[in-house]
Amino acid sequence: MKVGIMGIGTYIPENYMTAEEIAEKSGIPVDVIKEKFGVIKKPIPGPEDTTSYMGIQAALKAIKDAEISPEEIDLVIWNGGQHKDYPNWLAGLKVANDIGAVNAWSFDMEAMCGSMMAGMEVAKSMMIANEEINTVLLVSGYRNGDLIDYRVKETSFMFDLGAGGAAMILRKNYNRNVILSTAFKGDGSFAEDCVIEVGGSKKWPMEKEDVKRMHFVVRDIENFKEKLKEKTMPNFYYVIDRSLEKAELTRKDINYLAILHFKRSAHLGVLEELGLKEEQSTYLEEYGHMGQNDQILSIELGLKTGKIKEGDNIVMVGAGLGFVWAAAVVKWGEANK
């Protein structure tokens, strides 16, 4: 059974934080922010840009791109950030209601910044298992940048966090933009290395001073760095290669890489390792890292610039704090019948 992407959409807030502003807040030289961190500017939320609102706007664009009515959607899967409008709250139901998906039910799930690929796997599996599910909306809103304190140098690897929304319409037996495969790898040894230490059940009830502690911290920075150095890139390549293997493809078959934003040297290193040219990907230096939205944004930009063409093999790849690495292979355009 084929499951294809009918439409995609993104939402980018109008407000931006520049590299100069990040440098001022963090004390890190602006040239380091631009060249090493790879951020010229990044979108930040305005007053109306709640997590669900950004997802709703992206969903409406995806519906328009798919040329369907909201009533055709059978299931809405929220795979955006856990930092939502309210704690302990289902964002997907809010999205379904506000876009007019009156025939859909919904649930929320997340694999952090690997969520879009995880959502594709879950949606495809549910379509195969349930004959009543034919059209699924994956929708994400992300503003984890709210949870960054620029004075905490140990979390500088997250100073690129931006805000935005992304969405994807999937349909069963749709013969275009077919999802060929997905692959994942997890490592729970990272589970409590980088966390927000207040606001959860482990530190409850909150105390007055906890408000100032509602930001990410790294508990043992040297150990964290060592594990990242040892495991991050091998696991990226593992999920890429495994997804290609499952699609009966090799690295030589990759036409476009839709990869998350991370430091410039890592981006260029991945391209070199995979034998790709810079024009076979998009470096999101004017967006920063928008969590699970990066891959959809990259595809959207790739289509606009002509980097993605009919018949191309797209590899989507990301990693979620905690850690889970995720990849998916999509055959863009008309699939072989």
Side-chain angles (χ1 to χ4, degrees):
M1 181 183 295
K2 293 177 180 178
V3 173
I5 302 170
M6 293 191 77
I8 60 173
T10 62
Y11 171 78
I12 308 296
E14 295 180 355
N15 299 326
Y16 280 87
M17 179 182 286
T18 64
E20 288 76 12
E21 290 171 313
I22 297 172
E24 183 179 354
K25 284 179 174 289
S26 66
I28 298 172
V30 67
D31 60 323
V32 174
I33 300 295
K34 289 183 177 180
E35 296 306 320
K36 183 177 180 180
F37 288 28
V39 180
I40 295 174
K41 63 179 183 178
K42 63 178 186 176
I44 58 174
E48 77 285 358
D49 293 323
T50 66
T51 313
S52 69
Y53 176 85
M54 294 188 289
I56 289 164
Q57 301 310 306
L60 291 171
K61 290 182 179 179
I63 290 167
K64 183 177 180 181
D65 187 47
E67 298 182 342
I68 64 170
S69 67
E71 291 86 354
E72 295 178 58
I73 299 170
D74 302 304
L75 173 64
V76 174
I77 301 177
W78 173 269
N79 59 348
Q82 293 182 42
H83 175 48
K84 297 179 280 193
D85 305 27
Y86 311 100
N88 294 327
W89 183 69
L90 293 175
L93 290 170
K94 165 72 172 174
V95 173
N97 181 74
D98 285 17
I99 66 173
V102 295
N103 296 311
W105 64 285
S106 176
F107 63 89
D108 290 16
M109 57 151 279
E110 191 187 7
M112 298 297 276
C113 302
S115 295
M116 196 57 70
M117 288 71 75
M120 294 162 72
E121 167 81 2
V122 170
K124 183 176 180 179
S125 298
M126 293 184 70
M127 288 183 187
I128 293 170
N130 191 329
E131 63 181 15
E132 296 181 346
I133 300 177
N134 296 293
T135 305
V136 177
L137 166 66
L138 301 181
V139 58
S140 164
Y142 182 89
R143 49 179 291 172
N144 281 7
D146 296 345
L147 307 173
I148 296 299
D149 186 333
Y150 293 93
R151 298 168 298 181
V152 180
K153 296 296 188 290
E154 292 79 12
T155 59
S156 62
F157 69 98
M158 292 194 285
F159 287 178
D160 64 340
L161 294 188
M168 179 190 299
I169 301 287
L170 304 178
R171 177 162 286 181
K172 183 189 299 182
N173 295 323
Y174 184 68
N175 204 46
R176 289 187 59 82
N177 314 324
V178 171
I179 301 170
L180 299 182
S181 63
T182 51
F184 306 91
K185 189 173 182 63
D187 188 336
S189 71
F190 288 92
E192 294 182 294
D193 288 348
C194 182
V195 297
I196 301 164
E197 295 184 316
V198 299
S201 62
K202 200 161 187 175
K203 177 62 173 67
W204 193 264
M206 289 184 67
E207 300 173 16
K208 188 175 181 179
E209 58 269 23
D210 288 342
V211 175
K212 295 182 180 180
R213 299 174 59 205
M214 283 290 293
H215 57 78
F216 283 100
V217 296
V218 178
R219 289 169 162 171
D220 183 344
I221 187 61
E222 294 307 319
N223 181 57
F224 185 65
K225 284 182 176 179
E226 189 62 32
K227 286 199 296 183
L228 284 176
K229 183 179 178 180
E230 176 187 349
K231 298 182 179 183
T232 296
M233 300 319 296
N235 287 343
F236 267 122
Y237 299 133
Y238 170 81
V239 294
I240 290 171
D241 289 334
R242 181 64 182 136
S243 64
L244 287 167
E245 180 184 0
K246 291 166 72 175
E248 298 182 351
L249 300 171
T250 70
R251 292 183 178 186
K252 293 181 180 180
D253 297 307
I254 303 173
N255 301 111
Y256 184 84
L257 184 70
I259 191 170
L260 81 167
H261 179 276
F262 50 178
K263 63 182 182 179
R264 193 183 302 273
S265 61
H267 179 85
L268 295 174
V270 170
L271 294 181
E272 182 178 3
E273 170 69 23
L274 298 177
L276 300 175
K277 300 176 182 178
E278 288 190 47
E279 55 266 30
Q280 290 179 278
S281 186
T282 302
Y283 190 57
L284 304 174
E285 62 185 1
E286 295 189 353
Y287 301 91
H289 178 38
M290 300 190 335
Q292 42 269 72
N293 304 328
D294 284 7
Q295 294 79 22
I296 303 301
L297 175 61
S298 181
I299 291 173
E300 189 174 77
L301 294 172
L303 290 168
K304 286 181 179 179
T305 56
K307 292 181 178 180
I308 298 175
K309 301 176 179 63
E310 189 85 2
D312 278 354
N313 295 312
I314 300 173
V315 173
M316 304 167 64
V317 63
L321 190 66
F323 252 90
V324 58
W325 291 263
V329 180
V330 175
K331 184 73 170 182
W332 200 259
E334 193 77 16
N336 295 327
K337 296 184 179 180

